[in-house]
Amino acid sequence: MIPFQYVKPSKQKAAIDTVAKDDTAMFIAGGTNLVDLMKRGIMNPEKLVDINKLPLRKIEKEDGHVRIGALALNGAVAEDKLILEKHPLLSQALNAGASAQLRNMATVGGNIMQRTRCNYFYDTNLPCNKREPGSGCGALQGFNRMHAIFGHSDKCIAVNPSDMNVALVALDAVVLVSGPKGDRRIPFAEFHRLPGDTPQIHTNLQKGELITAVDIPEHPYTKHVNYLKVRDRTSYAFALVSVAAALDLDGSNIKSARLAMGGVAHKPWRLQEAEQFLAGKPATEASFRQAAEIAMRGAKAFEHNQFKLKLGPNTIVQALKNAAAAV
Amino acid sequence: MRQQPCNPSHFMKEYFFQDNMGKPMDRVDGRLKVTGSAKYSAEFELPNMSHGVLVGSTITKGRIKSIDTKAAERAPGVLAVLHYQNSPKVPGYVQAAHPTEPKPIGQPHRVFYDEQVYFNDQPIAIVVADTLERARYAARLVKAQYEEEKHATSFPKHQGKAFLPTAAQRNPKHGLNDYVRGKADAYKGENLKIESEYVIPSEMHNPMELQSIIAHWEAPDRLTVYDKTQAVIGSQNAFAREWKIPVENVKVIATFVGGAFGNGLHTWPHETAAIIAAKKVNRPVKLMLTREQMFTMVGYRPFAWQKVGMSATPDGKITAITHEAIGQTSSYEEFTESTLQQTRMMYTSPNVTTRYRILPLDVSTPIWMRGPGEATGAFALESAMDEMAHVLKMDPLEFRLKNHTDRDPERDRPWSTKFLKEAMLMGAEKIGWNKRQLQPGSLRNGDWLVGYGMGVGTFGAHRNRASAKATMFADGRVVIQSATTDIGPGTGTVMVQIAADALGISPDKIIFELGSSLFPPAPSQGGSATVASVGSAVRDACIALKKKLASLTTGNADSGFRNVKYEDLTFQNGQISLTSSPGTKLSYTDVLKQQKLPEIEVTEESRPSNEERQKYSMYSFSVHFAEVQVHQLTGQVKVTKVVTCADAGKIVNKKTAGNQMIGGAVGGIGMALTEGAVIDDRFGRYVTKDFAEYHIPVHADTPDIDVVFVDKPDFINNAMGTKGIGEIAIIGVAPAITNAIFNATGKRINELPVTPDKLI
Ligand SMILES: Cc1cc2nc3c(=O)[nH]c(=O)nc-3n(C[C@H](O)[C@H](O)[C@H](O)COP(=O)(O)OP(=O)(O)OC[C@H]3O[C@@H](n4cnc5c(N)ncnc54)[C@H](O)[C@@H]3O)c2cc1C
């Protein structure tokens, strides 16, 4: 860790201005990701702008959506009554992440922004285009068990590690940001990027822009939902593959569905074609299997993550089964 | 079954006075530990302390061409940056062997000795500063240039280069030589047989407490270290040798050790680095490894490849076993372990062949990790037993009972004691073994397939020379000291229990002190031998103390005991009484008061009688049963129940011993399902080196674990009847789980860990 300055402004504008003006400044919220990265020399901000004094912690029902403040804690959101009632899928996804201690520190904004867990990104002595553009992708020919099967490039095959993001993309959430040039709303599916030739840029957030909240519009997926995460140990491990599944059922028929995957791409991976296929189909294992096959179209695996080509669709099927059976 | 060949009557009197032995007494240091007041090595504070941080090599093999320390030296608070060019010389470093000499079998890595790099993240420099943060920052500024050579870190790629350990090459009688009983490789000619290969990745001990040391030169030839070690005397000797100073000038303190599992049984480069640095800056230096450095700068369970061939008669008698193993070692030290021992003695087979080889790679040296060798070997042997039983269409428990042996077939001797059969039957009942179906995939619970498996473990019931000093004060308190350590099993607690019974006083009057080289010597806490070794010394010291009390009493005209023999006295409740007339009694404190003695003390050394031991084979035994569920679609494995049973002699404390068994079972779950360190061979560097990537089981991975003790004493081993527990707690757990997975799914995964991807 390098020596750094630390400020804790109480005004949102001051926080934004500081980061916008200073190339070496970064926001810090729960610190559960950023401090680790600093300790390892992966991120080296010279100024930390602690945003915890800003009034961004509320979870509120507003017209047509629920608004979750960027500083709401992962643990608090997961247990919030409104969330449990309206967005149980989000609650399940949050509870599948990290550990209770971490969830009690981690914020929604920080979770959206957390960096990949790629082994090569994490070791400053190994090549990584995301950490050090031009140094090469260590994972491409290396240990790539945890890596992407969708949307990767030959510059980067890392995945977005967040569970929460998978639920948020499935639920059509919108990220509210405020920056030096004013406020804007970014649909969740457009917030994170694919690596392409610039894997070092992992989101579309601009320098100095602060996430202030996430809006989740109203939807009918309040009961038949499931977040299924397959991982190497039962808790406190990142997903090999995870699936957020939500069904709106009419008896045993699917009116509409939402489906997204984690652990498979550089961004939370929404499966819209599979969703469209499911609409109007009977909620049977056969439909789920077909949807899963559609979902996997275009997947390409590497040496150590071939299993995801099978685990992916299997997990989709199981998540849909669980969702359909949820009471 | 006939057991107990020796007549233990001369122990009986002491043995059956058991107010405390066997009780589930709370840990004497439990409160200290849970309140955070127990002090671990790095928690000591010394005046003028400085902090050391190690810089690791970023190449795997080659030479350091140059090392640029300027920026680091200029950084605030930095006191010194040391490396091979400017490090004070360690006088006891053995000179490099002549190139034509055979490689030494044990040449621990000599830190800052020369420009050679033997493994990735090898410590190449230490930065010392006035605070930890400043040292850590400056350490990042040290830059080395290398001349890189081609390295070898992939075990499978180089497997063909494995060879017989030098020790065995030099000595045909060495236990690591090939072993043949009956006909070599006899299984090959048989009809009913199996042949399988097994792979275990390197596993890291990863105890909670990071390896740490405070090195303090109190004078130019007097060294004190607060060190995380399992062997205060072993470390004392090692440092004295390194620095060519008298042993008594080295003091090693390890009051508490926060888990170790074997990696405190060796001295490591960071210890010497801190001592070097303390010499240079002439201040105490505190050095604690980071979690990532725990993967490279201390030992680990070596990567191993194994192959087992086995044959049996149609009715289930094993006719032959061949077990081959290759273990990884470093390029500079030949680490070996007893991977194949149990194959030689566990089952009746008339034909047994074992072959052990090692494969040096450009990695750091491995070290014993809980159940060293045997845990690796048992995975192969006990998986093979399950495979053979499956071929025979026989229940694996029945198959093991059928091949059970009441005599050690390797040495053709009786066992001191063996109650493995009893343990198997008790465990089978407890897990509900009768629910197990012969046909894999027969049981299910919704989408989950259910299976049962078992695995057997064994480990030598060792006992070594140890000594203890006991002091009784006039107020009745007793302090006992021995230079053993307590890495978590509850050594301090059971020593108090042993002493309380041996002395006939209440445990709350006894303090047991350990973890200092100033105390009478004791062996390292390893090989499950502490209770047998140190416990015997404690017991002997207590008996000597009683004899001393007796002599003070019986020589005293007024005591009412004049000229009474020790044998005719009873020592109980803090009082001496005449066995024939219990009314005649005197408290211990009164004995001291009458003599106007503030205290009496004795020091006893206790050593096993080798002659007696030579007549028997002494082992502890364990058997573990697991119930698992495997998800058909996702390959997730849930261990839903574990029953772990030990034939480990007399159990001194069911609570601490139970704790050992549970910990071993959890370690075994990790071995079977989650743990494995991965090296990217292109760089020779670990790519899984923190707790997010190296998966130790969490609570959610571990079910309720039932512990069963046969609890039958082994008086041949020692007068308390104990045998070791620490190792057998893990040996055989991993195959119990993988065998259960086979029973659930019909899938036999012989490459650990069994992660979900391997089951879909
Ligand atoms: C051991 C471990 C296991 C974990 N396991 C999981 C898991 O299984 N699943 C999972 O999903 N996550 C997991 N996590 C990650 C965890 O969810 C994230 O660390 C956490 O959500 C980050 O939130 P934070 O508030 O602590 O962010 P910080 O560390 O404070 O910040 C992270 C990043 O976000 C930026 N940032 C923070 N707030 C804002 C804002 N409002 N606007 C703009 N930028 C902002 C910061 O500048 C920084 O770049 C794990 C973490 C650890 C350490």
Side-chain angles (χ1 to χ4, degrees), chain B residues 691-707:
Chain B
F691 281 170
E693 300 299 328
Y694 182 91
H695 296 133
I696 290 164
V698 294
H699 282 301
D701 294 298
T702 56
D704 280 346
I705 297 168
D706 279 332
V707 179

PDB file of all heavy atoms in Angstrom, chain B residues 691-707:
ATOM      1  N   PHE B 691      -7.388 -16.926   0.927  1.00  0.00           N
ATOM      2  CA  PHE B 691      -8.524 -17.739   1.350  1.00  0.00           C
ATOM      3  C   PHE B 691      -9.721 -17.637   0.403  1.00  0.00           C
ATOM      4  O   PHE B 691     -10.664 -18.397   0.512  1.00  0.00           O
ATOM      5  CB  PHE B 691      -8.949 -17.353   2.772  1.00  0.00           C
ATOM      6  CG  PHE B 691      -8.073 -17.957   3.818  1.00  0.00           C
ATOM      7  CD1 PHE B 691      -8.176 -17.558   5.142  1.00  0.00           C
ATOM      8  CD2 PHE B 691      -7.150 -18.940   3.495  1.00  0.00           C
ATOM      9  CE1 PHE B 691      -7.368 -18.114   6.119  1.00  0.00           C
ATOM     10  CE2 PHE B 691      -6.342 -19.504   4.459  1.00  0.00           C
ATOM     11  CZ  PHE B 691      -6.451 -19.095   5.778  1.00  0.00           C
ATOM     12  N   ALA B 692      -9.672 -16.658  -0.512  1.00  0.00           N
ATOM     13  CA  ALA B 692     -10.746 -16.593  -1.496  1.00  0.00           C
ATOM     14  C   ALA B 692     -10.523 -17.646  -2.581  1.00  0.00           C
ATOM     15  O   ALA B 692     -11.474 -18.142  -3.176  1.00  0.00           O
ATOM     16  CB  ALA B 692     -10.815 -15.204  -2.115  1.00  0.00           C
ATOM     17  N   GLU B 693      -9.265 -17.974  -2.835  1.00  0.00           N
ATOM     18  CA  GLU B 693      -8.956 -18.901  -3.929  1.00  0.00           C
ATOM     19  C   GLU B 693      -8.583 -20.295  -3.434  1.00  0.00           C
ATOM     20  O   GLU B 693      -8.791 -21.282  -4.130  1.00  0.00           O
ATOM     21  CB  GLU B 693      -7.791 -18.350  -4.762  1.00  0.00           C
ATOM     22  CG  GLU B 693      -8.062 -17.003  -5.389  1.00  0.00           C
ATOM     23  CD  GLU B 693      -9.235 -17.042  -6.350  1.00  0.00           C
ATOM     24  OE1 GLU B 693      -9.461 -18.081  -6.985  1.00  0.00           O
ATOM     25  OE2 GLU B 693      -9.938 -16.022  -6.453  1.00  0.00           O
ATOM     26  N   TYR B 694      -7.961 -20.362  -2.260  1.00  0.00           N
ATOM     27  CA  TYR B 694      -7.633 -21.664  -1.665  1.00  0.00           C
ATOM     28  C   TYR B 694      -8.724 -21.948  -0.641  1.00  0.00           C
ATOM     29  O   TYR B 694      -8.826 -21.264   0.371  1.00  0.00           O
ATOM     30  CB  TYR B 694      -6.253 -21.616  -1.002  1.00  0.00           C
ATOM     31  CG  TYR B 694      -5.856 -22.961  -0.424  1.00  0.00           C
ATOM     32  CD1 TYR B 694      -5.135 -23.873  -1.186  1.00  0.00           C
ATOM     33  CD2 TYR B 694      -6.239 -23.320   0.865  1.00  0.00           C
ATOM     34  CE1 TYR B 694      -4.798 -25.111  -0.664  1.00  0.00           C
ATOM     35  CE2 TYR B 694      -5.909 -24.559   1.382  1.00  0.00           C
ATOM     36  CZ  TYR B 694      -5.187 -25.444   0.613  1.00  0.00           C
ATOM     37  OH  TYR B 694      -4.863 -26.675   1.123  1.00  0.00           O
ATOM     38  N   HIS B 695      -9.540 -22.950  -0.940  1.00  0.00           N
ATOM     39  CA  HIS B 695     -10.780 -23.104  -0.184  1.00  0.00           C
ATOM     40  C   HIS B 695     -10.649 -24.070   0.982  1.00  0.00           C
ATOM     41  O   HIS B 695     -10.594 -25.277   0.778  1.00  0.00           O
ATOM     42  CB  HIS B 695     -11.887 -23.580  -1.112  1.00  0.00           C
ATOM     43  CG  HIS B 695     -12.224 -22.583  -2.186  1.00  0.00           C
ATOM     44  ND1 HIS B 695     -12.361 -22.921  -3.503  1.00  0.00           N
ATOM     45  CD2 HIS B 695     -12.427 -21.252  -2.118  1.00  0.00           C
ATOM     46  CE1 HIS B 695     -12.653 -21.835  -4.206  1.00  0.00           C
ATOM     47  NE2 HIS B 695     -12.686 -20.808  -3.389  1.00  0.00           N
ATOM     48  N   ILE B 696     -10.633 -23.501   2.150  1.00  0.00           N
ATOM     49  CA  ILE B 696     -10.734 -24.314   3.363  1.00  0.00           C
ATOM     50  C   ILE B 696     -12.227 -24.431   3.666  1.00  0.00           C
ATOM     51  O   ILE B 696     -12.951 -23.461   3.479  1.00  0.00           O
ATOM     52  CB  ILE B 696      -9.995 -23.599   4.507  1.00  0.00           C
ATOM     53  CG1 ILE B 696      -8.499 -23.651   4.239  1.00  0.00           C
ATOM     54  CG2 ILE B 696     -10.325 -24.204   5.853  1.00  0.00           C
ATOM     55  CD1 ILE B 696      -7.719 -22.688   5.070  1.00  0.00           C
ATOM     56  N   PRO B 697     -12.699 -25.579   4.101  1.00  0.00           N
ATOM     57  CA  PRO B 697     -14.140 -25.692   4.343  1.00  0.00           C
ATOM     58  C   PRO B 697     -14.626 -24.648   5.355  1.00  0.00           C
ATOM     59  O   PRO B 697     -13.904 -24.300   6.287  1.00  0.00           O
ATOM     60  CB  PRO B 697     -14.305 -27.098   4.940  1.00  0.00           C
ATOM     61  CG  PRO B 697     -13.050 -27.815   4.671  1.00  0.00           C
ATOM     62  CD  PRO B 697     -11.978 -26.814   4.425  1.00  0.00           C
ATOM     63  N   VAL B 698     -15.826 -24.165   5.133  1.00  0.00           N
ATOM     64  CA  VAL B 698     -16.455 -23.273   6.110  1.00  0.00           C
ATOM     65  C   VAL B 698     -17.496 -24.088   6.883  1.00  0.00           C
ATOM     66  O   VAL B 698     -17.727 -25.259   6.575  1.00  0.00           O
ATOM     67  CB  VAL B 698     -17.113 -22.064   5.412  1.00  0.00           C
ATOM     68  CG1 VAL B 698     -16.061 -21.191   4.759  1.00  0.00           C
ATOM     69  CG2 VAL B 698     -18.152 -22.504   4.390  1.00  0.00           C
ATOM     70  N   HIS B 699     -18.107 -23.466   7.858  1.00  0.00           N
ATOM     71  CA  HIS B 699     -19.101 -24.191   8.655  1.00  0.00           C
ATOM     72  C   HIS B 699     -20.173 -24.840   7.789  1.00  0.00           C
ATOM     73  O   HIS B 699     -20.599 -25.951   8.048  1.00  0.00           O
ATOM     74  CB  HIS B 699     -19.759 -23.245   9.658  1.00  0.00           C
ATOM     75  CG  HIS B 699     -18.888 -22.983  10.845  1.00  0.00           C
ATOM     76  ND1 HIS B 699     -18.445 -23.978  11.676  1.00  0.00           N
ATOM     77  CD2 HIS B 699     -18.357 -21.840  11.311  1.00  0.00           C
ATOM     78  CE1 HIS B 699     -17.678 -23.465  12.604  1.00  0.00           C
ATOM     79  NE2 HIS B 699     -17.600 -22.165  12.413  1.00  0.00           N
ATOM     80  N   ALA B 700     -20.575 -24.106   6.757  1.00  0.00           N
ATOM     81  CA  ALA B 700     -21.652 -24.630   5.914  1.00  0.00           C
ATOM     82  C   ALA B 700     -21.234 -25.896   5.161  1.00  0.00           C
ATOM     83  O   ALA B 700     -22.082 -26.609   4.639  1.00  0.00           O
ATOM     84  CB  ALA B 700     -22.107 -23.555   4.928  1.00  0.00           C
ATOM     85  N   ASP B 701     -19.951 -26.168   5.093  1.00  0.00           N
ATOM     86  CA  ASP B 701     -19.495 -27.395   4.434  1.00  0.00           C
ATOM     87  C   ASP B 701     -19.404 -28.566   5.397  1.00  0.00           C
ATOM     88  O   ASP B 701     -19.129 -29.691   4.978  1.00  0.00           O
ATOM     89  CB  ASP B 701     -18.088 -27.183   3.842  1.00  0.00           C
ATOM     90  CG  ASP B 701     -18.097 -26.164   2.725  1.00  0.00           C
ATOM     91  OD1 ASP B 701     -18.770 -26.418   1.721  1.00  0.00           O
ATOM     92  OD2 ASP B 701     -17.440 -25.124   2.871  1.00  0.00           O
ATOM     93  N   THR B 702     -19.525 -28.284   6.682  1.00  0.00           N
ATOM     94  CA  THR B 702     -19.276 -29.340   7.653  1.00  0.00           C
ATOM     95  C   THR B 702     -20.549 -29.657   8.431  1.00  0.00           C
ATOM     96  O   THR B 702     -21.176 -28.776   8.995  1.00  0.00           O
ATOM     97  CB  THR B 702     -18.178 -28.914   8.642  1.00  0.00           C
ATOM     98  OG1 THR B 702     -18.572 -27.694   9.241  1.00  0.00           O
ATOM     99  CG2 THR B 702     -16.860 -28.711   7.949  1.00  0.00           C
ATOM    100  N   PRO B 703     -20.929 -30.904   8.402  1.00  0.00           N
ATOM    101  CA  PRO B 703     -22.159 -31.308   9.090  1.00  0.00           C
ATOM    102  C   PRO B 703     -21.873 -31.510  10.575  1.00  0.00           C
ATOM    103  O   PRO B 703     -20.763 -31.266  11.036  1.00  0.00           O
ATOM    104  CB  PRO B 703     -22.454 -32.654   8.440  1.00  0.00           C
ATOM    105  CG  PRO B 703     -21.084 -33.226   8.196  1.00  0.00           C
ATOM    106  CD  PRO B 703     -20.202 -32.042   7.840  1.00  0.00           C
ATOM    107  N   ASP B 704     -22.857 -31.990  11.276  1.00  0.00           N
ATOM    108  CA  ASP B 704     -22.593 -32.476  12.628  1.00  0.00           C
ATOM    109  C   ASP B 704     -21.641 -33.647  12.512  1.00  0.00           C
ATOM    110  O   ASP B 704     -21.818 -34.516  11.657  1.00  0.00           O
ATOM    111  CB  ASP B 704     -23.898 -32.984  13.263  1.00  0.00           C
ATOM    112  CG  ASP B 704     -24.709 -31.818  13.783  1.00  0.00           C
ATOM    113  OD1 ASP B 704     -24.143 -30.714  13.892  1.00  0.00           O
ATOM    114  OD2 ASP B 704     -25.900 -32.020  14.063  1.00  0.00           O
ATOM    115  N   ILE B 705     -20.635 -33.635  13.345  1.00  0.00           N
ATOM    116  CA  ILE B 705     -19.657 -34.717  13.297  1.00  0.00           C
ATOM    117  C   ILE B 705     -19.736 -35.466  14.626  1.00  0.00           C
ATOM    118  O   ILE B 705     -19.544 -34.875  15.682  1.00  0.00           O
ATOM    119  CB  ILE B 705     -18.247 -34.145  13.060  1.00  0.00           C
ATOM    120  CG1 ILE B 705     -18.193 -33.434  11.694  1.00  0.00           C
ATOM    121  CG2 ILE B 705     -17.194 -35.249  13.153  1.00  0.00           C
ATOM    122  CD1 ILE B 705     -16.966 -32.583  11.460  1.00  0.00           C
ATOM    123  N   ASP B 706     -20.071 -36.741  14.539  1.00  0.00           N
ATOM    124  CA  ASP B 706     -20.130 -37.555  15.753  1.00  0.00           C
ATOM    125  C   ASP B 706     -18.779 -38.194  15.997  1.00  0.00           C
ATOM    126  O   ASP B 706     -18.186 -38.757  15.087  1.00  0.00           O
ATOM    127  CB  ASP B 706     -21.169 -38.673  15.608  1.00  0.00           C
ATOM    128  CG  ASP B 706     -22.570 -38.166  15.872  1.00  0.00           C
ATOM    129  OD1 ASP B 706     -22.699 -37.199  16.647  1.00  0.00           O
ATOM    130  OD2 ASP B 706     -23.521 -38.728  15.301  1.00  0.00           O
ATOM    131  N   VAL B 707     -18.329 -38.107  17.220  1.00  0.00           N
ATOM    132  CA  VAL B 707     -17.038 -38.691  17.570  1.00  0.00           C
ATOM    133  C   VAL B 707     -17.266 -39.918  18.442  1.00  0.00           C
ATOM    134  O   VAL B 707     -18.051 -39.872  19.392  1.00  0.00           O
ATOM    135  CB  VAL B 707     -16.174 -37.671  18.338  1.00  0.00           C
ATOM    136  CG1 VAL B 707     -14.836 -38.284  18.721  1.00  0.00           C
ATOM    137  CG2 VAL B 707     -15.965 -36.413  17.499  1.00  0.00           C
TER     138      VAL B 707
END
